[in-house]
Amino acid sequence: MKSASRTVALLELLAARGDRPARLDELAEELGVPRSSMYQLLQTLVDCGWVRSDTTGSLYGIGIRALLTGTSYLDSDPHVRTVRPYLDEASDALGETIHLARLDGPDVVYLATRESHEYLRTISRVGRRIPAHAGALGKALLAERDDAELPLPDDPLERFTPNTHTGRATLIADLADVRARGYSIDREETVTGVAGFGFALRYGSPATDAISCSVPVTRLDAAHEERVVAVMREVRAKIEGVLAPAPGAPDWR
């Protein structure tokens, strides 16, 4: 069990570093593992493809097996498969960026994205995570939970822009508005210059998945905001209509 826990912790640490490879000593210190034990673990994972190293053998990063496993997760998840065509529908109707994400502890993880027809990113968001308090997707899902049960770290919460909630009190007040309104609004809380509108998908209780629409604030006048909300509400209703749990289907948690 100790070895398995150590392996998972190492892979999660390397994944969180993204494009910043780590040295052996860094990993050993970060995880509190003896240098010799960390070296042996790294070599085993390199041989298996879960970790990769540079030509000098001194830098380590996440390996291709992690991608294959992540892709399998997306391909095998029935909710992701079902929602994808509706993301296309929303993208075609609005011409904006549409996301599907899932709550994972205090964060949301992007499961699918349809980029704006007018703004193309060079790096996919799929597989990336952001703190739930900081954006439309996370706030839509947090609002589905009681305030006393919110999966949040202690204050201060991480700040991304001057508009990010950094305290539980202001976030809870915002979540009350989300519940009353039926959807969340992120006005440049995660990315300066971008607003988001999030809609929890209530085919589970409490909801763990949500969809959102991101719009550059330069294009967001009152009429466009009204259309975004109307289209996303309609798409949410369609998704919830086809994703009622089937008898005997696995109840994935």
Side-chain angles (χ1 to χ4, degrees), residues 53-140:
S53 63
D54 70 337
T55 55
T56 69
S58 61
L59 294 173
Y60 298 92
I62 197 71
I64 196 168
R65 288 289 174 182
L67 172 63
L68 299 177
T69 301
T71 301
S72 176
Y73 176 85
L74 293 175
D75 290 343
S76 65
D77 188 281
H79 293 164
V80 175
R81 289 201 309 270
T82 300
V83 171
R84 280 172 176 156
Y86 296 99
L87 302 183
D88 294 333
E89 179 180 330
S91 176
D92 291 341
L94 296 170
E96 304 293 358
T97 299
I98 311 297
H99 303 294
L100 166 68
R102 181 164 293 163
L103 191 67
D104 181 34
D107 302 326
V108 291
V109 179
Y110 289 94
L111 302 179
T113 292
R114 299 294 182 266
E115 298 291 354
S116 167
H117 304 325
E118 299 185 37
Y119 173 63
L120 298 178
R121 291 174 57 91
T122 57
I123 301 176
S124 172
R125 287 187 179 90
V126 174
R128 297 177 181 270
R129 63 173 60 228
I130 63 169
H133 71 273
L137 287 160
K139 291 196 299 180

Side-chain angles (χ1 to χ4, degrees), residues 22-203:
R23 297 185 181 276
L24 171 61
D25 290 342
E26 292 179 274
L27 296 171
E29 180 179 358
E30 180 76 18
L31 296 179
V33 175
R35 191 178 188 278
S36 58
S37 299
M38 178 58 68
Y39 178 77
Q40 293 174 357
L41 178 56
L42 284 168
Q43 294 312 301
T44 299
L45 292 174
V46 167
D47 291 342
C48 295
W50 284 92
V51 172
R52 59 179 174 174
S53 63
D54 70 337
T55 55
T56 69
S58 61
L59 294 173
Y60 298 92
I62 197 71
I64 196 168
R65 288 289 174 182
L67 172 63
L68 299 177
T69 301
T71 301
S72 176
Y73 176 85
L74 293 175
D75 290 343
S76 65
D77 188 281
H79 293 164
V80 175
R81 289 201 309 270
T82 300
V83 171
R84 280 172 176 156
Y86 296 99
L87 302 183
D88 294 333
E89 179 180 330
S91 176
D92 291 341
L94 296 170
E96 304 293 358
T97 299
I98 311 297
H99 303 294
L100 166 68
R102 181 164 293 163
L103 191 67
D104 181 34
D107 302 326
V108 291
V109 179
Y110 289 94
L111 302 179
T113 292
R114 299 294 182 266
E115 298 291 354
S116 167
H117 304 325
E118 299 185 37
Y119 173 63
L120 298 178
R121 291 174 57 91
T122 57
I123 301 176
S124 172
R125 287 187 179 90
V126 174
R128 297 177 181 270
R129 63 173 60 228
I130 63 169
H133 71 273
L137 287 160
K139 291 196 299 180
L141 291 168
L142 292 178
E144 297 292 304
R145 289 150 175 79
D146 293 337
D147 291 341
E149 299 175 356
L150 297 178
L152 297 173
D154 295 334
D155 289 356
L157 304 174
E158 184 176 358
R159 181 188 297 274
F160 292 87
T161 75
N163 294 341
T164 307
H165 291 291
T166 57
R168 182 182 289 259
T170 61
L171 176 63
I172 286 176
D174 191 351
L175 296 181
D177 291 337
V178 174
R179 296 180 188 112
R181 190 191 303 118
Y183 62 93
S184 65
I185 303 177
D186 161 9
R187 297 200 187 275
E188 302 183 80
E189 295 173 28
T190 312
V191 178
T192 299
V194 177
F197 303 86
F199 299 77
L201 299 174
R202 300 181 180 118
Y203 42 69

